[in-house]
Amino acid sequence: MAKRVFVDRLRPQTTEQVFINPVSTYEQPKEVEQSRLAELASFVERIEPRVTGYLNRERERDKEEDKKRAREIAETTVANYDQLVKEGKIGPEESPVFRYAFNETRGKVAGYEFIQEAVEAYNQSSLTQATDASSFDDWYNKYYEVYVSENQGVLGQEGAYEQFSSVAGQARSNLLTSHLASVKQNFANQGQAAYGNFVARIAQSHDVSTPEGAAAFASFIKSEQDKLAASGGATFSYSALNKMTVDNLYKYYESQGYKWQDFKNALNAIDAGTGKLGGTLHAQEQLAEARVKWNKALVAE
């Protein structure tokens, strides 16, 4: 019987090895010309400030144009921005610069309107008769708060109140200056009126045709003058008080039936520094005028 021969043993005993060599397919670009890039970079560096400056100027020019148009519109209307947009008088595409400038101008206009209205309100108030300034701040602050509250449609817009407040502040300064002058004058007028009433009252209660009556009369007048002169101020200086005394005695004795001799006696009883009041120039002029005027009146009667 024949023996089997395994096929595997008959196959050639060889081993194959595979070698892989990577091949690069990247194509190296051409070398960039560094000199041209440097030249371009230098050009851009030189031109960039000019371009930037030009763009900035254009933006500023546009802003100024927007501000100008906004101010022109705001100065000719009492409506706020949103109302004008709804009415189609302002386009919704306007820039924030335009809107802010519009609100600023409306605030400034409102400030001038406030000044005018505040002056009118002051002139109609009891402050014009005040003899002290203590109540001014309360009046002004209340008026200001009410005005701002009633005009929130304008002053509540961004940028408006700041301009309003700056302009309206002039109203307080101007009104206070005027008020202080008014208070000073009112106080002087009140004091002069009170002194005039005092002179008439003392003249009425004393018979200046007698030495005793004239002396007592003069003593009361001198005492009151000293008190008023001590209060200070040109209104109640001795020279001013002497003139007031002459003028008020003129009125009093004229009202009593043209009593020229009593008028003269009263003036000659009052001391006026270096001499009697009747010897001063103003007293002499008033005595002369009274003599002529009152005699004519007595003849006419």
Side-chain angles (χ1 to χ4, degrees):
M1 185 175 180
K3 295 182 180 180
R4 292 181 181 181
V5 178
F6 290 103
V7 175
D8 289 341
R9 293 179 179 177
L10 297 178
R11 292 176 181 172
Q13 301 295 315
T14 60
T15 300
E16 294 183 1
Q17 293 182 349
V18 179
F19 297 93
I20 300 175
N21 294 321
V23 178
S24 175
T25 60
Y26 174 75
E27 184 177 348
Q28 183 72 22
K30 295 180 180 180
E31 184 177 352
V32 179
E33 296 183 20
Q34 294 298 325
S35 61
R36 293 186 60 189
L37 282 177
E39 183 181 348
L40 178 60
S42 177
F43 171 76
V44 171
E45 185 177 353
R46 289 195 308 272
I47 199 66
E48 184 178 13
R50 299 180 186 177
V51 174
T52 301
Y54 172 78
L55 293 176
N56 288 338
R57 287 192 296 273
E58 286 296 300
R59 282 194 289 267
E60 289 301 319
R61 184 182 63 80
D62 291 342
K63 288 180 181 179
E64 291 304 317
E65 287 294 324
D66 285 349
K67 290 178 182 179
K68 181 180 178 181
R69 287 190 302 109
R71 290 165 184 158
E72 289 174 351
I73 295 174
E75 289 172 352
T76 58
T77 182
V78 296
N80 63 34
Y81 188 92
D82 294 334
Q83 288 174 321
L84 293 176
V85 171
K86 290 178 182 179
E87 295 171 3
K89 296 179 181 179
I90 292 179
E93 74 284 353
E94 294 290 357
S95 69
V97 172
F98 179 95
R99 178 163 189 159
Y100 196 86
F102 176 89
N103 292 336
E104 277 189 323
T105 305
R106 284 298 299 122
K108 184 180 294 185
V109 171
Y112 289 121
E113 292 171 351
F114 171 82
I115 292 176
Q116 181 177 354
E117 294 181 21
V119 169
E120 292 175 358
Y122 172 84
N123 289 334
Q124 295 173 8
S125 73
S126 60
L127 288 174
T128 56
Q129 305 301 318
T131 56
D132 68 81
S134 61
S135 57
F136 177 82
D137 282 339
D138 288 341
W139 175 85
Y140 179 83
N141 291 337
K142 182 177 180 181
Y143 186 84
Y144 183 90
E145 290 172 3
V146 171
Y147 188 93
V148 171
S149 176
E150 292 178 349
N151 290 273
Q152 275 301 298
V154 171
L155 302 181
Q157 304 298 316
E158 184 181 9
Y161 180 77
E162 290 77 4
Q163 287 296 316
F164 166 79
S165 178
S166 175
V167 174
Q170 300 174 25
R172 185 186 185 284
S173 177
N174 295 341
L175 279 175
L176 181 57
T177 299
S178 176
H179 181 63
L180 292 175
S182 176
V183 163
K184 183 178 180 180
Q185 187 60 53
N186 290 341
F187 180 78
N189 292 342
Q190 187 183 70
Q192 290 169 353
Y195 180 70
N197 292 334
F198 170 81
V199 169
R201 188 170 66 254
I202 298 302
Q204 184 180 31
S205 61
H206 292 79
D207 183 2
V208 293
S209 64
T210 66
E212 297 78 10
F217 165 78
S219 177
F220 276 107
I221 296 296
K222 183 66 167 61
S223 176
E224 188 67 14
Q225 284 189 349
D226 287 342
K227 287 192 296 185
L228 290 172
S231 66
T235 300
F236 297 117
S237 65
Y238 280 110
S239 61
L241 287 167
N242 285 335
K243 183 177 184 300
M244 281 188 271
T245 302
V246 173
D247 294 342
N248 282 288
L249 286 173
Y250 185 112
K251 293 177 184 177
Y252 172 73
Y253 287 114
E254 183 177 51
S255 70
Q256 297 302 305
Y258 312 111
K259 295 183 178 181
W260 184 84
Q261 189 60 51
D262 283 346
F263 180 34
K264 181 179 180 180
N265 290 340
L267 293 178
N268 287 332
I270 301 170
D271 288 327
T274 58
K276 297 299 182 180
L277 182 56
T280 62
L281 177 61
H282 183 61
Q284 289 293 314
E285 290 173 345
Q286 293 301 87
L287 279 168
E289 179 183 306
R291 185 163 196 156
V292 174
K293 179 180 176 182
W294 295 358
N295 281 335
K296 286 183 178 179
L298 286 170
V299 170
E301 289 182 0

